Amino acid sequence: MKTVIFKATDRCNSNCVYCHAIRKNNPVPTMPFDILEQFFIKANAFLTQWPEETLKIIWHGGEPLILKPEYYYQALGYKETICRDTGSRISFDMQSNLTLFSREYVDVLKKMGIQSFGTSFYLLPGVRGSGGTEGSDRYNRQFIRATSLLEEEGFSWGIIYVVTKLALENPLELFRILTNFVPSASVMFNPVTFYPEKPGQVAITPEEFVDFLGAIFPQWWRKRDRYPGVDPFSSLVENLINGNRSLICIDSGRCADTHLSISPDGMVWQCGRSSDWGLMSYGSIMDFSLTDIMNHPQKDLMRKRNAILQEGECKGCRFWDICHGGCPLDALAEHGSLLHKSPWCWTKKGFIEKYFEPVTGVTYQPSSGQAQAQQTLRGETITIPEFESRPPAPPAGECSTEESPWIGPINRIDDVLMISGILQQLVEENPSRRFNLVNKASYRELLEGHPAISSIGRPPQGTVPLCLDYGDSTGPTCPARAYQAIADLLGLATPAEERLCVPWQFEDDPVLRGLIPWRARNILICPAAESQRARMDVQKWEDLVKRLVADGFGVMQIASIRHPHIRGACGIRGLSSLKQIISFTRNFDLIITSHNLFMHAAQLHGIPAIVLWGPSDHTFYGYEGHYHLQGPRACHHAQGCLVHNQTESPCPMADEHCMDLIEVDTIHQTALEAARSHAAQTRTSPEPGIMEGAAWQDFSRD
């Protein structure tokens, strides 16, 4: 397969500080139709001559969406008429900043077979956009709007993140936001390269890029099943551990045979970098066939590069077969010759030896093509390098951990806010009272630092912790509500005040908050639920969102890569920690949710909530003051539906599933009623739910 980086325009609506893709003073900024037509003539001749070959055309730029849909319809017309017998072997992709995407492009893009987009995004102001903070803010808003629209229309997208000097300050935070922002968690980290201007602001060294990746890698390695699309990590695992050899162009050693690039004036170059940097031109598509170009003398020189490096600068390197001296264009830009290794090839070697091998416990053996396990570094004995930040130890209580009872594990993450409130009441009654908590990452971050928690860890051998699972909560001795059931288990006299709290300060990510298209009144929808049987059909959610948007509400959805996007709602990503998720919910006027954590978060913040109930009983689990919409229980399964290991199985009632029997009209009218009731209220006092001493800050809406 031949990949053609097709730069049909050099024009762009952005002015990214690290970009070299826009050539100054180009007399032909957009490819004329006669050159476009000539390309398809040459493509048809090439595919006719080589019946086993295919062409992948990647629309690039500049910004390809500056070209109107009519341009792409014209390209499709050339393909269909000129390449009648070969067009099935031509495919299209697109690399775009997405900010110009609109529904007028959908038809032609789908006709071209484009299903996904490569794009880029930068969190810090002043890097992408028209310049300055204001330009970045405008750019980001357009980008968020476009990605939501892409998802509504069934396209996928992934981010290529260019690591500059500005990105080195907090790699883990950057990783957290990006992997939760992109629906598929598809993120590729690349260093900024060939940047002679403003080196202090933008350029980084290979050593800095290695340490940037190294700061992220242990976190990714522990959660690699959740984030399978993060590169270069995923590719290295495939190459070094799984033995599946698949290399990107800069590492393949074969790019002379696989890549071309065409600029708007019809000049053919080695690749996108070649065109951007003005290096390695092969002449005009108007003058030469694609076969002539693939046989150009400069390509022959590139083909000899492997043998020269193997006997020279790269001799004896155990990473040769996964690097091949790196990108030839990097070598040409640095040394003026293709026959050197890339100045960036050390990043692969340095990262593998400094971070990959110590963290994973494997050593790459090129003779076998696979990494061999070092058993002494497996499992719990893997040493995590010193760069990884660790959470501080919880404050010690007045009594020793041996004297404090152990509680946990907590089976329902939804219950943590209730548990925190109950523990707070217990320690208020008896300031010396403490508990030890069985460690689990999902709720550790919420309870760490709680004045009633003496330690978080593993209980001593033989200790039987108190399990905070109240089961199906049936029977004559069971309290009438979930809060009271947990209070009873922990020894708080019932009936107890149903108070929720957290032992930390609410905070928002100001960058993320600035990206959201707030309106005068804003609704958060939370369709997800741990159990399939507690979820309402996606189409019903989309019908509801359509009505709410028509009513003038801003509708946002807390999105996860594991749950479907609700079309019409703005998907909020970048919130990976439970603290951030719970904090962020306080910015909304109304929450519409299934029975999940957000019901408790609404109660914590004193926000009106409409809670949708199916098999669960709102009189046991819900809060007074919320709007409870209970689906009709249409079967005999209702009483034990969410217990006895049935939580992940589909509902046997199919279309008669009780959650789907809740009418959208009912939800919509309840939302309007709740909004009218809440409209006159303003937040004029500190927010509820934060323990004494935590500050409160009001965030006014745009």
Side-chain angles (χ1 to χ4, degrees):
M1 181 177 71
K2 302 293 185 284
T3 298
V4 182
I5 311 298
F6 206 90
K7 294 178 175 286
T9 183
D10 271 348
R11 294 185 295 138
C12 187
N13 62 324
S14 184
N15 185 26
C16 305
V17 298
Y18 56 77
C19 181
H20 286 279
I22 303 175
R23 294 189 294 158
K24 308 296 185 184
N25 303 317
N26 186 352
V28 187
T30 296
M31 184 180 290
F33 284 139
D34 62 331
I35 296 178
L36 183 67
E37 180 183 28
Q38 190 63 214
F39 167 76
F40 281 99
I41 292 172
K42 299 297 175 65
N44 180 63
F46 177 80
L47 293 172
T48 301
Q49 182 180 0
W50 305 101
E52 302 302 318
E53 276 287 2
T54 60
L55 290 178
K56 176 188 282 188
I57 298 171
I58 302 178
W59 296 100
H60 210 285
E63 170 46 50
L65 292 182
I66 275 185
L67 303 174
K68 296 301 181 183
E70 292 73 23
Y71 192 94
Y72 296 105
Y73 280 119
Q74 185 68 53
L76 271 177
Y78 289 144
K79 176 191 169 186
E80 292 168 359
T81 56
I82 297 170
C83 307
R84 284 188 299 271
D85 299 326
T86 59
S88 61
R89 289 184 278 140
I90 298 175
S91 61
F92 296 101
D93 277 331
M94 184 172 285
Q95 175 78 19
S96 166
N97 67 33
L98 298 182
T99 58
L100 298 176
F101 179 77
S102 66
R103 282 196 167 88
E104 66 177 337
Y105 289 95
V106 171
D107 179 69
V108 69
L109 292 174
K110 289 187 174 181
K111 286 180 177 177
M112 284 194 291
I114 294 176
Q115 298 177 332
S116 63
F117 289 80
T119 187
S120 53
F121 187 63
Y122 213 91
L123 298 169
L124 301 177
V127 177
R128 296 186 69 82
S130 57
T133 301
E134 182 179 348
S136 293
D137 181 66
R138 186 183 309 111
Y139 179 98
N140 290 340
R141 289 177 182 275
Q142 292 171 339
F143 184 85
I144 297 295
R145 175 201 56 79
T147 56
S148 296
L149 182 57
L150 275 179
E151 293 166 25
E152 289 180 25
E153 296 295 342
F155 296 99
S156 60
W157 55 283
I159 280 181
I160 299 173
Y161 192 89
V162 179
V163 179
T164 69
K165 182 76 74 176
L166 302 173
L168 302 180
E169 184 175 344
N170 198 337
L172 275 175
E173 180 73 1
L174 181 64
F175 167 76
R176 177 189 61 76
I177 293 175
L178 289 175
T179 50
N180 284 274
F181 178 62
V182 185
S184 61
S186 175
V187 179
M188 173 182 282
F189 292 106
N190 286 341
V192 62
T193 56
F194 191 61
Y195 203 93
E197 303 168 6
K198 303 179 184 177
Q201 177 188 358
V202 176
I204 62 173
T205 66
E207 292 80 6
E208 286 174 326
F209 186 58
V210 165
D211 288 336
F212 172 88
L213 296 177
I216 297 171
F217 184 68
Q219 179 78 2
W220 177 86
W221 176 252
R222 286 193 292 269
K223 299 181 179 180
R224 58 192 181 277
D225 291 338
R226 179 180 176 186
Y227 305 124
V230 177
D231 271 321
F233 306 144
S234 297
S235 296
L236 283 174
V237 168
E238 287 299 304
N239 289 324
L240 301 184
I241 296 179
N242 298 335
N244 299 325
R245 185 70 73 245
S246 178
L247 302 175
I248 61 175
C249 61
I250 62 173
D251 297 324
S252 69
R254 298 181 56 248
C255 60
D257 297 312
T258 59
H259 280 70
L260 290 173
S261 179
I262 299 181
S263 54
D265 55 4
M267 294 299 291
V268 184
W269 308 77
Q270 166 56 32
C271 61
R273 286 184 175 182
S274 170
S275 173
D276 296 344
W277 299 348
L279 302 172
M280 294 190 68
S281 171
Y282 297 137
S284 173
I285 194 68
M286 306 296 283
D287 301 326
F288 298 97
S289 71
L290 291 183
T291 298
D292 291 338
I293 291 167
M294 295 305 298
N295 292 326
H296 194 281
Q298 288 189 91
K299 280 190 172 286
D300 286 339
L301 184 62
M302 290 181 70
R303 294 182 182 104
K304 296 175 182 177
R305 181 175 182 261
N306 283 1
I308 293 171
L309 290 181
Q310 266 191 299
E311 294 303 315
E313 294 177 354
C314 300
K315 187 174 184 178
C317 178
R318 67 185 173 111
F319 302 113
W320 166 259
D321 59 350
I322 60 170
C323 174
H324 300 95
C327 176
L329 267 296
D330 286 338
L332 183 59
E334 178 78 8
H335 303 291
S337 170
L338 294 167
L339 304 180
H340 289 277
K341 65 181 181 180
S342 163
W344 289 92
C345 81
W346 182 85
T347 60
K348 178 163 283 194
K349 171 182 170 64
F351 172 72
I352 293 171
E353 292 183 338
K354 188 174 181 180
Y355 298 106
F356 187 93
E357 291 178 331
V359 170
T360 62
V362 298
T363 300
Y364 181 61
Q365 301 291 346
S367 59
S368 66
Q370 276 189 284
Q372 303 298 317
Q374 294 180 342
Q375 297 295 332
T376 57
L377 294 178
R378 285 284 184 195
E380 296 296 327
T381 61
I382 288 180
T383 301
I384 304 299
E386 294 180 357
F387 55 76
E388 187 198 15
S389 61
R390 299 180 182 275
E398 296 182 12
C399 54
S400 68
T401 59
E402 289 77 9
E403 296 170 345
S404 303
W406 284 84
I407 58 175
I410 299 170
N411 292 328
R412 295 179 178 89
I413 191 63
D414 300 355
D415 295 341
V416 172
L417 299 183
M418 294 193 293
I419 292 168
S420 179
I422 293 165
L423 291 175
Q424 178 65 16
Q425 292 186 65
L426 286 168
V427 81
E428 287 172 359
E429 288 183 356
N430 181 359
S432 66
R433 189 164 189 182
R434 296 291 186 274
F435 295 86
N436 300 310
L437 180 66
V438 176
N439 185 29
K440 190 174 180 181
S442 60
Y443 52 73
R444 174 179 183 133
E445 67 170 304
L446 297 184
L447 293 177
E448 195 161 35
H450 197 292
I453 300 296
S454 179
S455 71
I456 302 176
R458 299 176 62 183
Q461 188 173 2
T463 300
V464 180
L466 172 64
C467 181
L468 299 181
D469 181 11
Y470 42 83
D472 59 3
S473 305
T474 60
T477 61
C478 179
R481 292 181 45 73
Y483 194 101
Q484 306 301 326
I486 300 175
D488 188 57
L489 287 171
L490 287 171
L492 181 65
T494 58
E497 177 189 0
E498 297 197 359
R499 189 202 318 169
L500 306 184
C501 64
V502 293
W504 35 269
Q505 182 177 353
F506 298 143
E507 292 182 353
D508 282 338
D509 183 329
V511 175
L512 177 66
R513 194 179 188 284
L515 296 177
I516 294 175
W518 298 103
R519 304 188 76 171
R521 309 297 289 176
N522 299 281
I523 297 175
L524 179 68
I525 62 167
C526 313
E530 291 187 11
S531 168
Q532 290 188 35
R533 302 186 182 202
R535 301 171 194 164
M536 187 172 72
D537 184 73
V538 169
Q539 290 185 352
K540 295 176 77 75
W541 279 105
E542 291 181 349
D543 186 7
L544 174 64
V545 169
K546 184 178 180 180
R547 300 186 192 198
L548 294 172
V549 171
D551 291 330
F553 292 102
V555 182
M556 290 70 167
Q557 175 195 0
I558 290 285
S560 164
I561 60 175
R562 296 181 294 112
H563 300 119
H565 171 70
I566 304 301
R567 290 184 296 180
C570 173
I572 300 174
R573 301 184 181 89
L575 298 171
S576 65
S577 76
L578 287 173
K579 283 185 178 181
Q580 285 193 318
I581 290 171
I582 291 170
S583 292
F584 204 76
T585 57
R586 76 193 195 284
N587 292 292
F588 293 89
D589 301 291
L590 175 66
I591 294 177
I592 306 177
T593 181
S594 302
H595 173 205
N596 58 31
L597 177 66
F598 298 99
M599 174 189 76
H600 301 280
Q603 180 72 5
L604 174 72
H605 296 305
I607 296 171
I610 298 172
V611 188
L612 310 182
W613 302 88
S616 302
D617 183 357
H618 78 270
T619 62
F620 181 81
Y621 295 98
Y623 295 101
E624 294 182 10
H626 286 177
Y627 298 82
H628 300 292
L629 301 181
Q630 185 91 50
R633 292 176 174 176
C635 70
H636 65 280
H637 297 279
Q639 183 63 31
C641 189
L642 297 184
V643 296
H644 309 308
N645 297 319
Q646 297 189 66
T647 58
E648 290 307 315
S649 62
C651 175
M653 298 299 292
D655 292 341
E656 296 298 313
H657 170 38
C658 53
M659 286 291 289
D660 289 336
L661 295 179
I662 304 174
E663 296 291 341
V664 174
D665 280 340
T666 303
I667 306 172
H668 179 226
Q669 291 303 316
T670 306
L672 296 180
E673 176 189 342
R676 282 193 295 266
S677 175
H678 187 58
Q681 300 179 22
T682 56
R683 295 179 181 177
T684 57
S685 60
E687 300 176 45
I690 311 176
M691 293 179 180
E692 185 178 353
W696 173 72
Q697 181 179 6
D698 182 31
F699 288 86
S700 59
R701 292 189 174 84
D702 294 341

